Amino acid sequence: MPKKLWVLLLVVTGLVVGCRPREQARTGQATPVRAMTYNIEDVRTADLRRSDHPRLRRAAARIQHLAPDVLLVNEMTYDQSGAPGYRAGDPDGHNAQRFAHHYLSPPQADSLEGISYQPVMLPVNTGLHSGLDLNNDGRVVSTVPEVPGAPDDGSVPPQSDAGRAYGNDAWGFGVFPGQYGMALFVRDDWTVLRDSIRTFRRLPWHEKPNASVPLDTTSFEPWYSPDAWADVRLSSKSHWDVPVQLPNGKVLHLLASHPTPPGFDGAARRNNHRNHDEVQFWSDYLNQASYVEDDSGRAGGLHDDARFLVMGDLNADPDDASVFRDAIRRLVAHERVHGGTVPKATPARQADHPDLDPDDTARWAARIDYVLPSSNLSVRDAGVWRPRPAAVPAVPVSDHFPVWVDVRVGP
């Protein structure tokens, strides 16, 4: 796209106006933090190897406009062996660095500033062969199928029956290893305490007390066989605790996850059960539940005085009447969570989307994307960013909107 037309597009979509400058803080002062979560919808390695992907350029422009200090992107492929676009000899999990280098660092318009981030990208369960018949169709699908290539217009490639058959027997649904992964981006002048990162990717589901066990609705027996239930993992992607040290010396824990969508699962509703327990894990982590043990073998939850942000596409709306939404309602109302501030669209953008509630974060009318601050943080502002419908191209960036929260940490 010619440069003048690209800048015009950004002006039309409202990105050029009101860009947020980054604030600074010194030791002993409160540090302002803008945290943002954004599901960009199935970003793949081939998309990130190029620097002119139309959806990713528009996504990066929105990110640069909002200028978050910490950013969680959901649905970015964790590149590894067996995934399309991976090249032998490449380091695993390099896609976050590609996004930072190709899209976030270069300004996406004359009026925007590039942002330098340090990425954090870790393995996920999606698309990893389990060796088990997890969907109970009488077969174990262990071969990654041929994956359709990305269309030239940047839209999301379609799924195939073979891909779905493979994904339904993976630890977390994905038609190839690493699909729908996560990536954290932290401003480069802050310190990610990498040696203290905790992940819970391998935590067995059955170890959670009072687990929401899926039942076969015909026999009322557990959906999973005893052998499968002994091994199946709680997290469909992963749960991360990434501590970041701020300029004032305080540590902020970024609690990132992307629970499975509560659907696409048949009469047993196994994804509903799993989504409930994946969301509830964060309440258990804050309650220091005894079953919590990370992938390194360290037991215990998050200490009582920790400052944190629960971030991600949690695929659960507290306004949904389903019993499976109890977990998100309890998390938002948790005594350690500042759940009273609900990010909402501006009145102008709400008027543009009359079919949505002000707090809906997805185009199908649901609040599912979250930045939940801990109760010991001062919340300053919050919002859901929505584009003007007339400015949305034929291939939209995503079926989700960016969600952001401004807090102050310390002193």
Side-chain angles (χ1 to χ4, degrees), residues 184-196:
L184 267 170
F185 300 86
V186 179
R187 56 185 293 170
D188 62 354
D189 55 342
W190 293 359
T191 303
V192 178
L193 302 178
R194 294 181 183 270
D195 291 342
S196 298

Side-chain angles (χ1 to χ4, degrees), residues 371-389:
V371 179
L372 295 173
S374 55
S375 56
N376 54 4
L377 297 177
S378 173
V379 180
R380 316 294 290 190
D381 202 358
V384 177
W385 189 93
R386 293 179 186 165
R388 293 184 177 90

Side-chain angles (χ1 to χ4, degrees), residues 263-278:
F264 316 107
D265 53 5
R269 306 183 74 184
R270 61 188 179 118
N271 286 340
N272 277 270
H273 289 272
R274 192 178 192 181
N275 173 274
H276 177 278
D277 283 5
E278 287 194 74

Side-chain angles (χ1 to χ4, degrees), residues 63-247:
I63 292 166
Q64 290 174 355
H65 167 70
L66 293 167
D69 301 298
V70 294
L71 165 70
L72 175 67
V73 173
N74 288 123
E75 296 201 16
M76 180 175 288
T77 292
Y78 180 86
D79 46 316
Q80 62 188 94
S81 179
Y86 178 82
R87 298 172 184 170
D90 282 353
D92 289 359
H94 196 63
N95 274 342
Q97 182 61 55
R98 293 186 178 103
F99 187 54
H101 175 72
H102 287 149
Y103 294 96
L104 298 180
S105 293
Q108 295 298 329
D110 290 340
S111 60
L112 295 173
E113 293 184 4
I115 306 175
S116 182
Y117 288 109
Q118 48 188 315
V120 177
M121 199 171 205
L122 303 166
V124 291
N125 284 325
T126 40
L128 294 186
H129 174 49
S130 69
L132 301 167
D133 179 15
L134 295 181
N135 66 342
N136 286 350
D137 67 350
R139 58 180 179 148
V140 177
V141 182
S142 58
T143 302
V144 178
E146 183 176 352
V147 178
D152 292 338
D153 63 3
S155 57
V156 176
Q159 291 183 4
S160 65
D161 290 341
R164 285 187 288 270
Y166 172 82
N168 282 325
D169 282 342
W171 288 128
F173 182 84
V175 303
F176 57 82
Q179 188 183 24
Y180 308 124
M182 305 188 295
L184 267 170
F185 300 86
V186 179
R187 56 185 293 170
D188 62 354
D189 55 342
W190 293 359
T191 303
V192 178
L193 302 178
R194 294 181 183 270
D195 291 342
S196 298
I197 293 174
R198 303 182 70 189
T199 67
F200 300 88
R201 181 171 65 92
R202 296 188 181 94
L203 181 67
W205 191 355
H206 76 267
E207 291 191 1
K208 184 184 186 306
N210 301 317
S212 183
V213 181
L215 298 178
D216 186 305
T217 54
T218 301
S219 66
F220 295 101
E221 294 294 324
W223 174 261
Y224 296 109
S225 69
D227 288 344
W229 185 240
D231 291 337
V232 69
R233 298 171 180 180
L234 171 64
S235 184
S236 55
K237 282 85 174 175
S238 190
H239 286 72
W240 301 345
D241 176 351
V242 179
V244 175
Q245 188 169 44
L246 307 182

Side-chain angles (χ1 to χ4, degrees), residues 282-303:
W282 288 128
S283 292
D284 294 344
Y285 192 55
L286 300 180
N287 293 336
Q288 302 184 55
S290 60
Y291 79 90
V292 172
E293 182 178 298
D294 64 29
D295 294 331
S296 71
R298 177 185 165 194
L302 189 63
H303 57 89

